[in-house]
Each structure stands twice: as C-alpha cells, then as structure tokens.
Amino acid sequence: MTKSDIKDREYMYRLITGQLYYDGHQQIAFSLAQHLGITSQIPPPTDKLFRLVNLAKQFSDDSDTHDTSSDGRKPMDPSAGLDMEYDSEIQPTTPEPSQYETIYLTSHKGPCRAAAFSTDGFLVATGSADCSIKILDVEKIVSSRDMAPNEGNAEGKNVVFRTLYDHMDEVTTLTFHPRESLLVSGSSDCTIKMFDYSKSSLKRAVKTINEVARINALSFHPGGEFFLAAADQEIVRLYNSETQQCFVCANPADHHKGPIGDIRYSDDGRMFVSGGADGDVKVWDGISNRCIQTFSRAHDGNAICSVQFTRNGKYVLTSGFDSVVKLWELSTNRCLIAYTGAGSTGPQTLKIQAGFNHNEDFVMFPDEKSGSLCSWDSRTSDRKRLGALGHTAPCRVFVHSPTMPAFLTGSDDYRARFWYKSSN
C-alpha cells in the first residue's frame, strides 16, 4: 500500500468518524478514532461523505441492469409509490394512519403554523406565530418512544437541538436544503431567511431576502441550487440559493390571478406545481419556468390549500377550501380520484395541507371541524378509520416523514405533536 493510499484511507476514516459524531454517536466516533489510530479531534460537519456515496452509486454494479424501459431508464418499483397502472395489484404495506401514536410533544409560545421534514427524514422543524423555529432530532424522538409523550422526558435527550430567532412576525413556511445544513423560512414579516443549523452558536439567519408580501410556501429544487417562493401575490418567484437572484416568468398569461397558497417541486426537478386563491392549479416546466398545464377551477373555484407531486411525477395531489382532496393525472389533464368525507359539517375556513404517507399507500388530511385525521387508500379512495389528533384547537400544519411511518401536526393550541407507528 502506497503512502497515497494510506492518506486516502485515513481521510475516509475521518469522514466516517465526523459523520458518526454529527449524527449523535459521539462515543462511537471517539472509540473508532482511537481504535484506528487517527487524530482524536473530530472534523466539523460536512456533506463530503454523502456526496462520495452518491457518486459511488452511479458506478455500482449491484443494481439490476437488464430490466429497463425503452428509453434506458429503470422502471419504478410500484410498491415504492403510487402508480395507478398497478392499482389492482398493490395492497397497502404500511399501517393505517389511525394506528399512529403521539410519542413526543413540544410547545411554542404561540400557534404552531409551519413544519417540514428534512429530505433524509432525520430532522423536523416547527415554526410558530411567536416568531421562533425549533429543529428536532427525529432519531432521538423515536428512541424515546417508550417514555410518556411529553417534552420533559425527551428534553434530557436534547431532542430540540436548535432554537432559532430572527423573524419579526409569524413563521409561515419552512423547508430544508436537500444537501447542506441550511433551513429556509418564510414569514408574515415579508422576509425569507436562511439558517445554518450546523453551528450551535448561530441563532440568527446567515442570509435574508426581503420580499414585498407574506411568504406562503417554499420549495427547494432537488439539486439545491434553486428554490421557489410563493408570496401572497400572483407571481411565482425562483431564487438562486447562492446569489439570491430572483427570476420570474416573463409571460403575464402564465401567472395566477390571485395569491399563491402553495408550491412544490417534483422529485426530479423537471416540473413544479402551484396552487392559488384563484382556484387554479398550474404545472410549470422546471427549466424554462413556463406554465405547461393548468387545472382550471380545480376545486370548483375554491382556493387551493396544498399541492404535491407523486414520486414518479405522473400525478398531482391537491386540496382546497372545499375540504376535498383530489388526484390529478398529468398525461390526461383530468381528475382521477376525489377523496371525500372530510368537512362533513361544511367547507373549511383555514388553510390545511393534505399529503401522502412515506410510500404513498395512504392520503392523509386533517379535518378542521372534527379535529380528526382523515385518511384514504390512495389507489381505491376507500376511507379509513378516523384518527384523533388530540389538539385542543384547529390543526394548522401537517407534514409526513419522507422515510418512515411518522408525521407531525401543529395547532393553534401552541403545540406540535410527533406521531409514529413502530413495526412491532
């Protein structure tokens, strides 16, 4: 083994020990460093190991190469997400949402109005009308699930490892950078702020973008170079995350005719979707920033609350103030399924998001009037048992983990609840 090989191997070991330390396994990291005979000083957090693993995956010989489509791409495993071509073959493999239990509860000093999971599902953030943001460690929450569901039991485990303050008004939306240790927030104070949560000493934003209206939604491109911002206006903003340069569509006919309530990139970044107070859902080309498809009056003219692509990019899930959730097929420009039964006492008055569980077996939607969680089989629209959310005020935010059977709800009762269903 050459000196160069030895140095490369030591560098790899340092990255591994640094990642272990950053993920909360400090004792293992120190023991491994001592056993390997490398320096005991743990390197600072970095995404180099993550990028090296992703690079190695591109050249892996372990994946099957014989089963490809005509364009050379591997077909998606139908069990990994929703594809109506397999609706008669695939049965849900995950527990019904009504079986989830609250395993952790945290409180703000004001209504909880925003939440987001990180791309890998290791972190979840909550934002409040008290202008504060909390970042929670999901692994520590799950590891403490045998304790009673209150903040005191888990505090000793440092579940809340960052609390951030820099907004002057209600935090309305949150999103994590897909690759870097950055959390981006939007607020009623008309600002977008970027927080570097890898540095415990930083409580304030490292970058601030001043907007002209309340920020309703944010969404990062999967590559992390750009993010979308939906302000309380008709025009979609596209920002360069490094330079903060803003781009908008130059064609006035493409814009919404009312404030934009939600916006979301597809998993491959080729498209994004927006929903507005004008009742329209618009699908945009992720390269040209032009509108390529419009579902007019998608919810009978009611304002749109939430929009979301399926993992394969074939469908869009929407919810509106009519308390109905709909699944739209992009190739045919039509509504395939309407998930009904929520809002039995009338249309909702508050903006509430609908979403999938982590493998898209179920559609989930908090009901404003009853305080329950409605859920449906995503393929058949069969309604499942209601789940009591336990909040004493309307649920204002709902986000599901992208990687595990877990979700978080936030309410005007100042509390955020973390829900989880173990495989046992």
Side-chain angles (χ1 to χ4, degrees), residues 58-82:
Q58 300 178 23
F59 302 97
S60 174
D61 295 326
D62 297 332
S63 59
D64 296 329
T65 56
H66 62 278
D67 188 14
T68 56
S69 59
S70 58
D71 60 359
R73 295 179 299 168
K74 285 189 64 178
M76 173 175 283
D77 178 2
S79 64
L82 179 63

Tab-separated table of all heavy atoms in Angstrom, residues 58-82:
chain	number	residue	atom	x	y	z
A	58	GLN	N	-23.492	5.780	-8.713
A	58	GLN	CA	-23.596	5.895	-10.167
A	58	GLN	C	-22.797	4.818	-10.883
A	58	GLN	O	-23.076	4.483	-12.028
A	58	GLN	CB	-23.108	7.275	-10.616
A	58	GLN	CG	-23.897	8.427	-10.027
A	58	GLN	CD	-23.341	9.770	-10.466
A	58	GLN	OE1	-22.669	9.870	-11.497
A	58	GLN	NE2	-23.624	10.804	-9.700
A	59	PHE	N	-21.781	4.261	-10.206
A	59	PHE	CA	-20.921	3.264	-10.839
A	59	PHE	C	-21.076	1.884	-10.199
A	59	PHE	O	-20.271	0.995	-10.432
A	59	PHE	CB	-19.452	3.696	-10.730
A	59	PHE	CG	-19.188	5.027	-11.360
A	59	PHE	CD1	-19.157	6.186	-10.586
A	59	PHE	CD2	-18.994	5.140	-12.723
A	59	PHE	CE1	-18.927	7.416	-11.165
A	59	PHE	CE2	-18.758	6.372	-13.303
A	59	PHE	CZ	-18.725	7.515	-12.536
A	60	SER	N	-22.120	1.726	-9.368
A	60	SER	CA	-22.319	0.447	-8.691
A	60	SER	C	-22.771	-0.613	-9.677
A	60	SER	O	-23.596	-0.381	-10.560
A	60	SER	CB	-23.367	0.599	-7.582
A	60	SER	OG	-23.669	-0.647	-7.019
A	61	ASP	N	-22.205	-1.819	-9.528
A	61	ASP	CA	-22.601	-2.953	-10.371
A	61	ASP	C	-23.649	-3.814	-9.699
A	61	ASP	O	-24.035	-4.861	-10.232
A	61	ASP	CB	-21.370	-3.830	-10.696
A	61	ASP	CG	-20.360	-3.081	-11.540
A	61	ASP	OD1	-20.783	-2.260	-12.369
A	61	ASP	OD2	-19.161	-3.339	-11.358
A	62	ASP	N	-24.115	-3.395	-8.507
A	62	ASP	CA	-25.043	-4.230	-7.767
A	62	ASP	C	-26.461	-4.130	-8.285
A	62	ASP	O	-27.276	-5.011	-8.086
A	62	ASP	CB	-25.054	-3.836	-6.281
A	62	ASP	CG	-23.692	-4.070	-5.659
A	62	ASP	OD1	-22.973	-4.954	-6.150
A	62	ASP	OD2	-23.368	-3.368	-4.680
A	63	SER	N	-26.806	-3.025	-8.924
A	63	SER	CA	-28.177	-2.826	-9.374
A	63	SER	C	-28.443	-3.634	-10.636
A	63	SER	O	-27.565	-3.899	-11.442
A	63	SER	CB	-28.439	-1.334	-9.631
A	63	SER	OG	-27.547	-0.854	-10.592
A	64	ASP	N	-29.709	-4.029	-10.806
A	64	ASP	CA	-30.109	-4.784	-11.985
A	64	ASP	C	-30.114	-3.869	-13.185
A	64	ASP	O	-30.648	-2.767	-13.155
A	64	ASP	CB	-31.509	-5.381	-11.784
A	64	ASP	CG	-31.527	-6.383	-10.642
A	64	ASP	OD1	-30.487	-7.029	-10.426
A	64	ASP	OD2	-32.579	-6.501	-9.974
A	65	THR	N	-29.543	-4.328	-14.273
A	65	THR	CA	-29.465	-3.505	-15.483
A	65	THR	C	-30.270	-4.091	-16.619
A	65	THR	O	-30.432	-3.465	-17.654
A	65	THR	CB	-28.007	-3.368	-15.936
A	65	THR	OG1	-27.456	-4.681	-16.134
A	65	THR	CG2	-27.191	-2.640	-14.876
A	66	HIS	N	-30.793	-5.329	-16.441
A	66	HIS	CA	-31.493	-5.960	-17.551
A	66	HIS	C	-32.930	-5.494	-17.664
A	66	HIS	O	-33.548	-5.614	-18.713
A	66	HIS	CB	-31.480	-7.484	-17.376
A	66	HIS	CG	-32.185	-7.946	-16.140
A	66	HIS	ND1	-31.575	-7.945	-14.902
A	66	HIS	CD2	-33.445	-8.393	-15.959
A	66	HIS	CE1	-32.426	-8.409	-13.990
A	66	HIS	NE2	-33.575	-8.676	-14.605
A	67	ASP	N	-33.493	-4.974	-16.564
A	67	ASP	CA	-34.898	-4.588	-16.549
A	67	ASP	C	-35.005	-3.085	-16.730
A	67	ASP	O	-35.079	-2.328	-15.780
A	67	ASP	CB	-35.535	-5.013	-15.223
A	67	ASP	CG	-37.044	-4.803	-15.228
A	67	ASP	OD1	-37.593	-4.584	-16.317
A	67	ASP	OD2	-37.639	-4.867	-14.136
A	68	THR	N	-35.003	-2.633	-17.964
A	68	THR	CA	-35.061	-1.202	-18.247
A	68	THR	C	-36.166	-0.920	-19.230
A	68	THR	O	-36.640	-1.790	-19.963
A	68	THR	CB	-33.726	-0.700	-18.840
A	68	THR	OG1	-33.425	-1.462	-20.012
A	68	THR	CG2	-32.608	-0.878	-17.834
A	69	SER	N	-36.592	0.341	-19.276
A	69	SER	CA	-37.613	0.753	-20.229
A	69	SER	C	-36.972	1.093	-21.555
A	69	SER	O	-35.762	1.050	-21.722
A	69	SER	CB	-38.360	1.979	-19.665
A	69	SER	OG	-37.459	3.029	-19.439
A	70	SER	N	-37.797	1.442	-22.525
A	70	SER	CA	-37.303	1.697	-23.879
A	70	SER	C	-36.370	2.888	-23.944
A	70	SER	O	-35.537	2.982	-24.846
A	70	SER	CB	-38.493	1.927	-24.830
A	70	SER	OG	-39.278	3.015	-24.357
A	71	ASP	N	-36.500	3.806	-22.987
A	71	ASP	CA	-35.620	4.982	-23.000
A	71	ASP	C	-34.384	4.775	-22.136
A	71	ASP	O	-33.635	5.710	-21.890
A	71	ASP	CB	-36.370	6.239	-22.549
A	71	ASP	CG	-36.910	6.122	-21.148
A	71	ASP	OD1	-36.725	5.056	-20.525
A	71	ASP	OD2	-37.512	7.090	-20.674
A	72	GLY	N	-34.170	3.535	-21.693
A	72	GLY	CA	-32.961	3.226	-20.946
A	72	GLY	C	-33.066	3.428	-19.457
A	72	GLY	O	-32.137	3.133	-18.726
A	73	ARG	N	-34.205	3.907	-18.942
A	73	ARG	CA	-34.360	4.122	-17.520
A	73	ARG	C	-34.982	2.903	-16.862
A	73	ARG	O	-35.819	2.222	-17.449
A	73	ARG	CB	-35.241	5.338	-17.240
A	73	ARG	CG	-34.657	6.655	-17.704
A	73	ARG	CD	-35.609	7.784	-17.402
A	73	ARG	NE	-36.878	7.614	-18.089
A	73	ARG	CZ	-37.958	8.333	-17.830
A	73	ARG	NH1	-37.939	9.229	-16.891
A	73	ARG	NH2	-39.079	8.145	-18.501
A	74	LYS	N	-34.582	2.655	-15.609
A	74	LYS	CA	-35.185	1.560	-14.868
A	74	LYS	C	-36.603	1.953	-14.466
A	74	LYS	O	-36.847	3.066	-14.019
A	74	LYS	CB	-34.365	1.251	-13.610
A	74	LYS	CG	-33.077	0.517	-13.869
A	74	LYS	CD	-32.450	0.060	-12.580
A	74	LYS	CE	-33.338	-0.954	-11.892
A	74	LYS	NZ	-32.748	-1.461	-10.643
A	75	PRO	N	-37.578	1.055	-14.614
A	75	PRO	CA	-38.930	1.379	-14.181
A	75	PRO	C	-39.007	1.467	-12.666
A	75	PRO	O	-38.250	0.808	-11.954
A	75	PRO	CB	-39.753	0.194	-14.699
A	75	PRO	CG	-38.780	-0.925	-14.797
A	75	PRO	CD	-37.464	-0.289	-15.178
A	76	MET	N	-39.903	2.300	-12.159
A	76	MET	CA	-40.053	2.449	-10.717
A	76	MET	C	-40.714	1.217	-10.132
A	76	MET	O	-41.640	0.657	-10.710
A	76	MET	CB	-40.901	3.695	-10.414
A	76	MET	CG	-41.247	3.846	-8.935
A	76	MET	SD	-42.100	5.378	-8.583
A	76	MET	CE	-40.750	6.519	-8.634
A	77	ASP	N	-40.209	0.789	-8.989
A	77	ASP	CA	-40.835	-0.289	-8.246
A	77	ASP	C	-42.217	0.188	-7.820
A	77	ASP	O	-42.346	1.167	-7.085
A	77	ASP	CB	-39.989	-0.619	-7.021
A	77	ASP	CG	-40.613	-1.719	-6.166
A	77	ASP	OD1	-41.677	-2.247	-6.561
A	77	ASP	OD2	-40.034	-2.033	-5.119
A	78	PRO	N	-43.291	-0.467	-8.287
A	78	PRO	CA	-44.633	0.032	-7.987
A	78	PRO	C	-44.937	0.076	-6.501
A	78	PRO	O	-45.778	0.841	-6.064
A	78	PRO	CB	-45.549	-0.960	-8.716
A	78	PRO	CG	-44.711	-2.184	-8.937
A	78	PRO	CD	-43.310	-1.663	-9.108
A	79	SER	N	-44.271	-0.731	-5.707
A	79	SER	CA	-44.521	-0.719	-4.269
A	79	SER	C	-43.898	0.490	-3.594
A	79	SER	O	-44.167	0.762	-2.427
A	79	SER	CB	-43.983	-2.000	-3.639
A	79	SER	OG	-42.579	-2.068	-3.779
A	80	ALA	N	-43.019	1.202	-4.320
A	80	ALA	CA	-42.324	2.345	-3.727
A	80	ALA	C	-43.122	3.635	-3.839
A	80	ALA	O	-42.727	4.648	-3.296
A	80	ALA	CB	-40.970	2.529	-4.402
A	81	GLY	N	-44.229	3.630	-4.540
A	81	GLY	CA	-45.017	4.829	-4.702
A	81	GLY	C	-46.290	4.542	-5.460
A	81	GLY	O	-46.571	3.412	-5.869
A	82	LEU	N	-47.073	5.585	-5.658
A	82	LEU	CA	-48.377	5.451	-6.287
A	82	LEU	C	-48.265	5.429	-7.795
A	82	LEU	O	-47.686	6.335	-8.395
A	82	LEU	CB	-49.278	6.610	-5.844
A	82	LEU	CG	-50.686	6.648	-6.437
A	82	LEU	CD1	-51.482	5.431	-6.003
A	82	LEU	CD2	-51.394	7.929	-6.032
